[in-house]
Amino acid sequence: MLKNIIGGIAVGIANIIPGVSGGTFIVLLGLFDQLMESISNIFNLKIKLKNKKNDAIFIAQFLLGAAIGLIGFAKILEVLFVKFEVQTLYWFIGLILLSVPMLKRKEMNGEGINWLFLAIGLLLIAGLSYFSPGESGNIVPLEELVSKNMNFGFCLTLVGIGAIGGASMMFPGVSGSMVLLVLGYYHLFKGYVAHVTSFEPMILVALIFIAIGVGLGIITSAMITNYLLKHYKRNTMSFILGLIIMSAIVIIPDVAYTVPIIISSIVCFLFGATVILIFDRYSN
């Protein structure tokens, strides 16, 4: 139980970080196969209800941990993005880039990269970044979130935001937070999650729609990912590596670089890289 919850916390934290994939952490923690199988069993009508109990318990423990990590770390990021936005982004970049060789070694089993699918992954994220350059790091205040008009279109947007976040939990290499950052919805999503303890009715209603999207995203992505990795693993992993590499490039902050910013950014990059190296050593 404790391992499942701790694994969920790690994935929840990863899912709130732009550019870091919760799905990658599922793979590295050794929970990927069990999670895919459990989700498939829950929605498999051929499996008896009593045989689904353990799968449901495992999924509940994992999601509890993910919620703890998501909500807890969102509050920390609220502070980091206000006071140390550039340094925080370089920490993310260090995490992302150093995860590439680790993921290739663990998942490709010595197979070579399919450069075509790698290029497709690169171009996909580059295209998202080019056509939707995103938003600034400003925090969405509680007052603005509460005043949002909960019409059908906005509720549908919230479901979509949740679906991206949920799908990224299952698909290694894709960062839902990074995609949301590129599309301009990351700080809106983070704002709702960070203000959940305010217990404002409008915040809770918005989070319900986000949660619906998360559930839909998890189910859909789990099925698609499971199929692709079973039948087209080399091509899928090459595509994923392209997504990861370009996700690190597109979040490089466009600011005036002074000596203190350069030095602190390098330190934060190295810190992020060190975290991944330590994680790699521990996971082995």
Side-chain angles (χ1 to χ4, degrees):
M1 174 180 176
L2 186 60
K3 177 186 175 183
N4 298 336
I5 294 177
I6 292 175
I9 290 174
V11 172
I13 291 173
N15 207 53
I16 201 70
I17 301 174
V20 180
S21 166
T24 299
F25 276 77
I26 293 176
V27 173
L28 298 178
L29 291 166
L31 298 173
F32 184 77
D33 291 338
Q34 184 180 358
L35 192 58
M36 296 300 105
E37 184 177 356
S38 295
I39 293 175
S40 298
N41 289 344
I42 289 293
F43 293 94
N44 189 340
L45 298 179
K46 296 180 180 180
I47 297 178
K48 295 181 179 179
L49 184 61
K50 64 179 182 179
N51 295 331
K52 298 180 180 182
K53 181 179 178 181
N54 291 334
D55 294 316
I57 292 174
F58 168 72
I59 293 172
Q61 292 170 350
F62 177 84
L63 291 178
L64 173 63
I68 294 171
L70 194 67
I71 295 170
F73 207 69
K75 291 183 178 295
I76 296 174
L77 285 181
E78 290 283 354
V79 177
L80 292 178
F81 265 106
V82 170
K83 297 185 176 181
F84 310 104
E85 181 179 3
V86 174
Q87 291 81 358
T88 302
L89 287 173
Y90 273 101
W91 176 51
F92 295 159
I93 293 170
L95 288 169
I96 299 165
L97 292 182
L98 266 292
S99 69
V100 171
M102 180 172 59
L103 191 61
K104 180 182 182 299
R105 185 180 70 250
K106 288 179 179 292
E107 291 301 312
M108 297 197 69
N109 300 320
E111 288 188 292
I113 293 174
N114 185 318
W115 296 103
L116 173 61
F117 282 87
L118 179 80
I120 293 173
L122 292 170
L123 291 173
L124 176 62
I125 299 300
L128 282 172
S129 178
Y130 178 79
F131 291 109
S132 300
E135 57 185 346
S136 67
N138 294 332
I139 303 299
V140 180
L142 177 62
E143 296 76 14
E144 182 178 338
L145 294 175
V146 172
S147 65
K148 293 284 186 181
N149 182 11
M150 288 291 174
N151 55 37
F152 177 78
F154 186 68
C155 291
L156 196 62
T157 298
L158 294 176
V159 172
I161 290 172
I164 292 173
S168 70
M169 288 184 185
M170 300 295 104
F171 194 69
V174 177
S175 165
S177 292
M178 189 280 301
V179 175
L180 291 176
L181 185 66
V182 169
L183 295 176
Y185 291 110
Y186 172 69
H187 294 287
L188 178 67
F189 167 71
K190 183 164 60 67
Y192 277 119
V193 174
H195 290 302
V196 64
T197 53
S198 69
F199 298 109
E200 286 282 350
M202 297 306 292
I203 298 293
L204 297 179
V205 169
L207 286 172
I208 289 173
F209 284 104
I210 291 175
I212 292 172
V214 169
L216 293 174
I218 287 176
I219 295 167
T220 304
S221 181
M223 294 179 175
I224 294 174
T225 303
N226 200 27
Y227 177 83
L228 290 176
L229 290 177
K230 281 184 177 180
H231 295 86
Y232 309 101
K233 188 162 189 175
R234 176 172 175 256
N235 294 343
T236 302
M237 287 307 305
S238 298
F239 174 70
I240 287 171
L241 291 175
L243 295 173
I244 295 175
I245 293 169
M246 186 54 71
S247 71
I249 296 174
V250 299
I251 66 171
I252 294 175
D254 183 15
V255 297
Y257 285 91
T258 62
V259 173
I261 290 178
I262 292 173
I263 294 175
S264 59
S265 297
I266 291 174
V267 170
C268 290
F269 174 88
L270 294 175
F271 176 59
T274 302
V275 169
I276 288 295
L277 292 175
I278 293 174
F279 182 81
D280 186 25
R281 181 182 178 88
Y282 174 77
S283 65
N284 287 330

